[in-house]
Amino acid sequence: MKRIGVLTSGGDAPGMNAAIRAVVRAGLKNDISVIGFKRGYNGVLMRSADQGDDFSLMTARSVSDKVHRGGTFLMTARCSEFLKEEVQRKAVENLRSLGVEGMVCIGGNGTFAGADALNRLGMPTIGVPGTIDNDLMYTDSTIGFDTALNTACECVNRIRETSDSHERASMVTVMGRDCGDIAVHTALACGAELVMIPEIPWSVEEVADRVKWGVMRGKNSMIMIFAEGAVESLTTDVEKLCAQHECLRDVSLRHITSSQIAMMIEALAQHETRATVLGYIQRGGSPTSFDRILASRLGNRAVELLRDDVGGRAVGIRDNHIVDVPIEEGKQSRKGADQALLDLIATLS
Ligand code: F6P
């Protein structure tokens, strides 16, 4: 191949810039020119008034001073239209018109679905896993997970200090709509007492009992890590519970917030409980050395595969070895939680 393209799509993840840099520099090293497409698949569809706003030819200097920066300088977006075959065909046509012979798509399972589609339509494409959620089954780690985890841990450490001082319970909401990996790893790393995740049903009653039990055992603070998607695995009859407690009458039954869950725990445990939502703090920030190294290795491997005319693969890491699997397999989300880690949290709390 003489020319390839690179894009980042879906939620940004720290380390995406390091991955783009690796693709560009490894490409140039292999005499392959690289076009960077902006805003994910939207850039490939080239609908901006100024095409410079959709893509540009990368040079070694385009990726200078990027390896340590969070976010993605190519920007990112979700592109629901890309589910349509006619849109995918248009994308392949556009890529061919620019002389692009292969693509590297950096993102999560939605990005990989688009990459799979491009590949099926004859554009060799490699998926590079970039998502803080770490929810792809085929790889031990995704780019961005380690940074998000370390950021969450630093925040929880701070929350623990104030919770200790006030002898409160704290519920800390971390990201993870469908996957509890950030929550489980944060809980273990921070010595949290409890973790609530989308994969495992849980109830306010059980959690409140655990808080009461912790207080009885003389715990100064109780830290509960709550994955944002765990609201879906809540089994409590919230309507009934709120009807029984005057202080819960303002709880919305349509959209329960973290603060409202903390209020319910407080009402049942009779122990002051506060909520903190970490939100996008976890997605920003300079990538850890682990994520920079992972991104560099995966970006380089993606280029090697395209150089050898191999497409339709997702690159990942298993037991510290760089691997590649069919992209169809790569886009599958991890099912279920790591029970061994959950058991360890329970043992150590
Ligand atoms: O990047 C993945 C993720 O962080 C999920 O955990 C989260 O639910 C989602 O992105 C939210 O993304 P956005 O708010 O950008 O749509």
Side-chain angles (χ1 to χ4, degrees), residues 17 106 118 123 141-142 163 191 218 224 252 269 288 331 343:
N17 280 326
I106 307 166
L118 287 180
M123 176 60 55
S141 198
T142 56
S163 295
M224 298 168 270
S252 153
T288 58
K331 70 186 180 193
D343 291 345

Side-chain angles (χ1 to χ4, degrees), residues 10-13 76 78 130-135 174-179 182 228-229 279-280 282-283:
D12 64 322
T76 186
R78 295 189 170 90
T131 163
I132 64 164
D133 287 350
N134 204 32
D135 57 348
V174 297
M175 273 184 151
R177 194 166 28 205
D178 305 308
C179 175
I182 296 178
E228 57 178 335
Y280 295 122
Q282 297 151 96
R283 278 223 305 237

